[in-house]
Amino acid sequence: MTVFGFIGTGHMGSMLVDSFIRRGAIKNEEIWVSNRRQEKAQKLVEALGVQAADNLEVAKRSDVIFLCVRPVDLEEVIAGVAEILNPDKLIVSVAVDFSLRRMQKLCSARTVRAVPSVASGRGLGVTLLVLGNNASMEDRSLLLRLFRSIGWPVEVAEEHLEVLSDLTSSGPAYIAAILREFALEASRRSAEVDSDLAEELIKKTIIGTAALLEDMSLDDLIAMVATRGGITEEGVRVIQAQSPEMFRQLFLATSIRHRLVKERIGDWQG
């Protein structure tokens, strides 16, 4: 029996434990959890029937250890259990700004980076995977199986992880922010349009749009709705003219933030 450890049971760690159990990917008796605040880990014990211990005990008992902590805390967490992290262990870090190279300097375990999405909690998230050069084909098969149970795992190059995580991991927040502004502007256009109604309408519209996009490309959907000479076409032209600069600024801002985090943890190679 493979035993899975989750060090860090904040939002991401708890979501993964809950989702893997609910989707039947891992049995609750196969999971050990720990957290800096043990009451958080205890909540999972009570809710899901997993087992809790401190970081060292979880690392000892587990074959696969998910490290679900912030990048700024990851080195300290790894150092605290490094004596246990031998080549028989597989560690999976969900921290975007902590490289495989750095993890491999801190311990001798097999290493993988995985960046899930909050949508994984609904079984509809993209998980970006980067396998270390010491990870095995069996490790790859295991992680693909796990993350397929909660969405779509995609293997990517490590150097592309930052920009792609903006699309997948951060993407739900960015999409929600854009839709919120869209709805708010609609309500500002007329005093009779309630902002809550506008938000509900745009939420329902995006759900339907997502269903359509399962069978067609973005360009195909635009062409289907924005008929030549029509009203929608005019709106699409505005978006195409104005949005490139907004998204350029978005990626610039997140790139700067990634660099600041890497400099803080000593993982920046300029």
Side-chain angles (χ1 to χ4, degrees):
M1 179 180 75
T2 302
V3 178
F4 298 87
F6 291 80
I7 296 178
T9 57
H11 181 80
M12 185 59 70
S14 295
M15 182 275 289
L16 289 175
V17 172
D18 179 73
S19 298
F20 286 145
I21 291 174
R22 284 191 297 104
R23 302 275 169 179
I26 307 177
K27 297 177 181 179
N28 57 357
E29 62 264 28
E30 297 171 340
I31 294 179
W32 283 79
V33 299
S34 64
N35 195 73
R36 182 167 50 188
R37 294 172 55 193
Q38 280 301 101
E39 59 268 25
K40 281 191 174 183
Q42 192 60 35
K43 287 182 179 179
L44 291 181
V45 172
E46 296 167 1
L48 300 172
V50 299
Q51 301 164 92
D54 60 27
N55 289 359
L56 192 59
E57 187 66 18
V58 168
K60 285 179 180 178
R61 291 181 175 272
S62 303
D63 305 297
V64 181
I65 305 161
F66 286 84
L67 302 175
C68 305
V69 300
R70 301 181 306 165
V72 294
D73 297 324
L74 190 53
E75 181 168 353
E76 180 181 354
V77 168
I78 292 176
V81 296
E83 63 185 272
I84 306 299
L85 300 180
N86 57 51
D88 292 332
K89 305 281 188 180
L90 171 65
I91 59 173
V92 183
S93 168
V94 305
V96 175
D97 293 309
F98 206 101
S99 67
L100 289 169
R101 172 187 55 81
R102 189 163 180 81
M103 282 195 287
Q104 290 169 0
K105 283 185 176 181
L106 295 170
C107 69
S108 59
R110 309 187 314 276
T111 54
V112 171
R113 296 176 68 185
V115 182
S117 160
V118 294
S120 300
R122 294 293 186 96
L124 296 170
V126 173
T127 299
L128 305 176
L129 287 176
V130 183
L131 274 67
N133 54 17
N134 56 358
S136 67
M137 292 304 294
E138 289 77 13
D139 296 332
R140 178 179 181 273
S141 296
L142 172 64
L143 292 172
L144 288 175
R145 177 182 68 80
L146 290 179
F147 286 108
R148 279 182 185 136
S149 74
I150 59 173
W152 301 277
V154 180
E155 291 185 74
V156 300
E158 188 170 28
E159 60 267 27
H160 299 154
L161 195 59
E162 290 178 16
V163 66
L164 293 178
S165 69
D166 277 347
L167 295 178
T168 60
S169 181
S170 302
Y174 298 152
I175 293 168
I178 291 168
L179 295 178
R180 181 184 61 189
E181 295 305 317
F182 193 9
L184 286 174
E185 184 58 29
S187 65
R188 285 191 288 261
R189 299 292 295 174
S190 173
E192 287 76 34
V193 176
D194 180 75
S195 60
D196 290 339
L197 173 62
E199 179 172 324
E200 187 63 23
L201 291 176
I202 198 64
K203 284 164 59 179
K204 297 298 185 186
T205 300
I206 196 65
I207 292 170
T209 303
L212 289 170
L213 287 171
E214 288 185 335
D215 302 316
M216 64 178 67
S217 69
L218 297 173
D219 283 340
D220 287 342
L221 182 52
I222 292 169
M224 184 175 73
V225 182
T227 54
R228 183 168 298 179
I231 294 170
T232 305
E233 185 182 51
E234 291 303 312
V236 169
R237 285 175 178 164
V238 172
I239 292 170
Q240 291 173 335
Q242 300 295 327
S243 62
E245 178 59 19
M246 179 184 74
F247 286 113
R248 189 185 74 82
Q249 291 293 333
L250 183 154
F251 280 107
L252 177 61
T254 58
S255 178
I256 291 171
R257 182 60 183 172
H258 282 302
R259 176 173 179 171
L260 289 173
V261 172
K262 289 182 176 182
E263 287 177 344
R264 180 178 174 184
I265 63 177
D267 202 15
W268 170 254
Q269 289 184 314

